Amino acid sequence: MEEKSNSRTDVIMAGLGGMGVLIAGQILAWAALKKYQHVSWLPSYGVEKRGGLCECTVIFSDQDIASPLIDRAQTVVVFDGSQLKTFEPRVLPGGMILVESSGLEDEQERRDYELVKIPGVEIAVSMGIRQVSNLILLGAYISIRDAMPSELIEKELGRRFGTKKTILECNQKAFRQGLELGRNAKK
Amino acid sequence: MTERMFVQGNEAVGWGALYCGCDGFFGYPITPQNEVTQWFAHEFPKRGKVFLQSQSEVGSINMLFGGAAAGFRVMTSTSGPGWGLMQETISHCVAAELPCVIVLVQRGGPGAGSIRHAQMDYITATRGGGQGGYKNIVLAPSSVQEIHDLIQLGFHLADKYRNPLVILTDGILGQVSESIEVKTIDFGPLDKKLWALRGRERQEDGKSRIVNSAVGVLPLPPYPNYISWLKHIEEKYREMEGSELRYETYEAEGADLILVAYGYTARVSKEAVNMARAEGHKVGMIRPITLWPFPYSVIREKAMLGCKFLVVEDSLGLLIDDVKIGVEGRTDVHLVGILDRHIPTDGGMIMPGRVFEEIKRLL
């Protein structure tokens, strides 16, 4: 275990089945294990193999996690632009929603949180790998919210994909692009 | 040796079983417990242990009967529809005094109901779901660590009392991943299974054994007749009630309102208690860890002090009946149940905020 932290972070990641929502949450949770005593990852998804509503809640803390289910989180990352309205009620007042800008038609209804639009799909397509928009959004989340040191995610990518060089590289590239987008969004 | 892992609740079933010397798993896949079957398929054969996918849950439970009769530590896992199919043979296991562990990962019912989480098998789990009005200990974990720990306790108690034992979890606990410590827990020594069918040549006394689940039809020593055997079974049940009651209280001292919950809704309730305490409300929780035997005494104690009760369970109201038995009409018992989920689909969950709302309404 590396340096200890006393803070608690919670995030709901949401989108449609097949977009890599659950895996992005898993990468975050596994990375958090290196720093936090208590970590939970709770998935929720329907019977559809692709395209059904899908979410996971990730919590990491050095205090006991009373419930892995929470009504509202500090941050909600919406991986599919069309689902902003569905998940807008799930962010805490004063919190933040990071939303995929592709497919985004809904207007922000609540004014008590900050909305940040991230063109994850557009960048992934420009990279030639449509599937990695999840890592772009994860990267943006990490840098905008200072959720944890980005090296922890990099290490987790290595642990998970280390034996598959091409997959590892494109995930790393997407994650770093996301970090950069996040840094620019903060400016 | 302790190992730190990040695993799903369903996988923790396997790690707990492995670390307490389970010999064999017999099961049929069913959502939301598929990861249990998958874990055993992946981990048991390579360690020289038995994993067998049965043709149905009727097959699984009868394989348990056989494995337990031969003196092995055996288990299965299922969800609502499979649980229904197992009832007849669970009753036979009780009658033949065969220790085994059955993990029931609850989903929505009735019928095929839903493949997602719920807590709707409480009554059949705690009241002897098959024929003959039998009893079995029911352990209810509420975290991934506790799943791992209670599986081990479950095998110990099943062997100690020569009785089937049920571990009652749910689809949420099965799916959630948490960091846990995996290790062997020592619960003390157990008698040798001298009654087991191992073949005459392997018995110390060189004599054969019979495992019999129809004592009224075929009385065998040491029970000369049906009633003497029933008396023996009854004494076992009383001993379980006297020795194996387990529960946890949280912020219950001086509380005006007590929440009662098990499984995933106990986690939700704990969060709701924290929310209420942060606003100065005197709210606490009683979490039964054994659902049978049930901690009526602690419920009664709080009812006598005038505490109100709020039961939180993801069903139309089943655990609430046991709370009412404990309360004996002294005070009000309320329910936050499946109709209070955050969205009206099978993916809906009882959320801490909804429980907190009800707490504020009742105080």
Side-chain angles (χ1 to χ4, degrees):
Chain A
M1 199 160 295
E2 296 177 2
E3 124 203 35
K4 288 261 181 175
S5 161
N6 291 318
S7 60
R8 168 186 159 121
T9 303
D10 50 55
V11 54
I12 293 171
M13 300 194 157
L16 302 180
M19 303 182 108
V21 173
L22 301 185
I23 199 85
Q26 275 194 352
I27 290 167
L28 180 66
W30 277 84
L33 283 172
K34 294 271 185 286
K35 192 174 171 188
Y36 294 86
Q37 184 67 28
H38 301 278
V39 180
S40 70
W41 172 83
L42 174 70
S44 177
Y45 51 90
V47 295
E48 307 87 346
K49 192 161 186 178
R50 296 277 185 277
L53 266 188
C54 165
E55 65 176 86
C56 64
T57 303
V58 181
I59 305 175
F60 38 99
S61 172
D62 278 321
Q63 311 297 319
D64 173 52
I65 297 170
S67 171
L69 285 77
I70 46 176
D71 300 76
R72 293 182 294 182
Q74 298 155 350
T75 313
V76 178
V77 184
V78 183
F79 289 68
D80 187 282
S82 70
Q83 298 303 320
L84 175 61
K85 205 169 189 171
T86 312
F87 289 97
E88 196 179 41
R90 303 293 300 281
V91 69
L92 282 167
M96 180 184 282
I97 293 184
L98 271 75
V99 64
E100 166 60 54
S101 55
S102 161
L104 175 64
E105 288 176 2
D106 300 330
E107 293 293 320
Q108 180 175 2
E109 285 185 7
R110 282 170 52 186
R111 290 290 153 192
D112 60 351
Y113 74 92
E114 189 181 347
L115 181 70
V116 179
K117 299 168 189 171
I118 304 288
V121 170
E122 192 185 315
I123 292 171
V125 169
S126 73
M127 286 167 63
I129 325 153
R130 164 72 183 83
Q131 292 92 331
V132 293
S133 64
N134 62 341
L135 266 292
I136 295 173
L137 266 82
L138 178 63
Y141 163 70
I142 293 291
S143 63
I144 292 179
R145 297 300 262 167
D146 284 326
M148 67 172 64
S150 60
E151 302 78 53
L152 294 179
I153 301 279
E154 296 267 5
K155 273 189 195 166
E156 173 55 18
L157 291 176
R159 187 193 71 85
R160 194 171 279 261
F161 303 119
T163 56
K164 300 164 185 166
K165 195 163 172 276
T166 321
I167 293 176
L168 175 63
E169 281 172 2
C170 62
N171 277 292
Q172 280 171 332
K173 199 174 156 196
F175 176 66
R176 288 166 194 165
Q177 286 265 6
L179 288 175
E180 188 59 32
L181 273 178
R183 279 193 283 269
N184 293 336
K186 268 204 292 196
K187 283 174 192 166
Chain B
M1 192 187 74
T2 301
E3 218 177 322
R4 189 169 181 245
M5 288 187 188
F6 187 61
V7 294
Q8 281 191 303
N10 282 338
E11 296 165 331
V13 169
W15 290 110
L18 177 68
Y19 273 68
C20 73
C22 173
D23 300 297
F25 177 94
F26 307 90
Y28 187 82
I30 181 171
T31 311
Q33 65 77 62
N34 288 316
E35 296 85 1
V36 180
T37 318
Q38 183 185 29
W39 188 94
F40 281 96
H42 195 254
E43 301 293 338
F44 254 34
K46 69 186 179 194
R47 292 179 164 90
K49 292 171 178 283
V50 173
F51 164 78
L52 196 55
Q53 181 173 324
S54 59
Q55 75 280 33
S56 78
E57 290 84 351
V58 176
S60 317
I61 193 69
N62 280 283
M63 290 170 187
L64 243 65
F65 188 103
F72 292 100
R73 277 197 159 178
V74 289
M75 67 175 294
T76 187
S77 169
T78 191
S79 190
W83 170 246
L85 291 174
M86 290 182 179
Q87 297 308 310
E88 181 188 18
T89 303
I90 295 174
S91 178
H92 280 278
C93 288
V94 171
E97 298 191 76
L98 296 177
C100 52
V101 170
I102 301 142
V103 177
L104 172 53
V105 185
Q106 295 176 92
R107 68 186 227 180
S114 137
I115 63 165
R116 311 278 297 266
H117 57 273
Q119 295 176 308
M120 299 174 88
D121 294 315
Y122 180 88
I123 296 296
T124 51
T126 59
R127 295 299 190 275
Q131 70 276 19
Y134 54 87
K135 310 275 191 192
N136 52 260
I137 294 173
V138 181
L139 299 175
S142 76
S143 69
V144 178
Q145 180 71 57
E146 207 179 15
I147 290 174
H148 162 276
D149 297 353
L150 291 185
I151 289 284
Q152 300 197 33
L153 177 65
F155 271 108
H156 179 82
L157 296 179
D159 282 347
K160 179 177 173 186
Y161 293 102
R162 288 187 58 188
N163 205 55
L165 181 143
V166 174
I167 308 279
L168 193 65
T169 78
D170 54 69
I172 297 275
L173 282 181
Q175 298 296 315
V176 70
S177 291
E178 293 181 312
S179 41
I180 68 166
E181 286 190 346
V182 177
K183 61 182 178 192
T184 298
I185 306 169
D186 183 8
F187 298 102
L190 287 165
D191 293 341
K192 273 188 183 174
K193 295 180 177 178
L194 297 176
W195 48 265
L197 308 181
R198 299 182 195 277
R200 205 182 308 176
E201 67 280 6
R202 292 194 196 87
Q203 304 288 11
E204 286 172 14
D205 59 8
K207 292 181 181 163
S208 59
R209 305 282 191 272
I210 294 179
V211 161
N212 178 18
S213 72
V215 187
V217 181
L218 183 67
L220 288 169
Y223 310 110
N225 55 48
Y226 177 56
I227 297 301
S228 65
W229 173 75
L230 277 183
K231 191 161 173 283
H232 159 68
I233 296 283
E234 164 69 2
E235 280 166 5
K236 251 183 13 177
Y237 295 156
R238 294 289 82 82
E239 196 189 334
M240 291 179 206
E241 283 183 317
S243 308
E244 306 306 341
L245 191 65
R246 285 167 172 83
Y247 62 88
E248 183 184 83
T249 58
Y250 181 68
E251 301 280 2
E253 198 62 41
D256 298 325
L257 175 68
I258 296 282
L259 274 55
V260 184
Y262 73 99
Y264 102 80
T265 50
R267 301 291 294 277
V268 169
S269 299
K270 192 175 183 184
E271 181 86 28
V273 168
N274 290 346
M275 292 160 98
R277 286 276 171 182
E279 289 194 8
H281 302 295
K282 290 181 178 170
V283 179
M285 177 167 80
I286 295 170
R287 180 174 73 88
I289 296 171
T290 49
L291 298 176
W292 192 91
F294 190 82
Y296 296 116
S297 52
V298 65
I299 301 274
R300 186 177 310 120
E301 207 177 281
K302 292 292 177 190
M304 287 171 82
L305 294 171
C307 294
K308 287 185 198 173
F309 284 84
L310 174 60
V311 176
V312 184
E313 55 171 324
D314 203 1
S315 75
L316 292 168
L318 304 166
L319 162 69
I320 193 171
D321 289 350
D322 269 335
V323 177
K324 283 179 179 170
I325 290 173
V327 162
E328 293 175 339
R330 288 186 175 93
T331 181
D332 298 339
V333 183
H334 302 268
L335 174 71
V336 167
I338 196 166
L339 304 182
D340 296 291
R341 286 179 170 195
H342 81 301
I343 46 173
T345 64
D346 63 345
M349 297 175 249
I350 296 176
M351 289 289 190
R354 175 69 192 92
V355 180
F356 182 40
E357 256 175 43
E358 193 64 12
I359 289 171
K360 285 190 286 189
R361 196 184 70 79
L362 292 173
L363 284 174

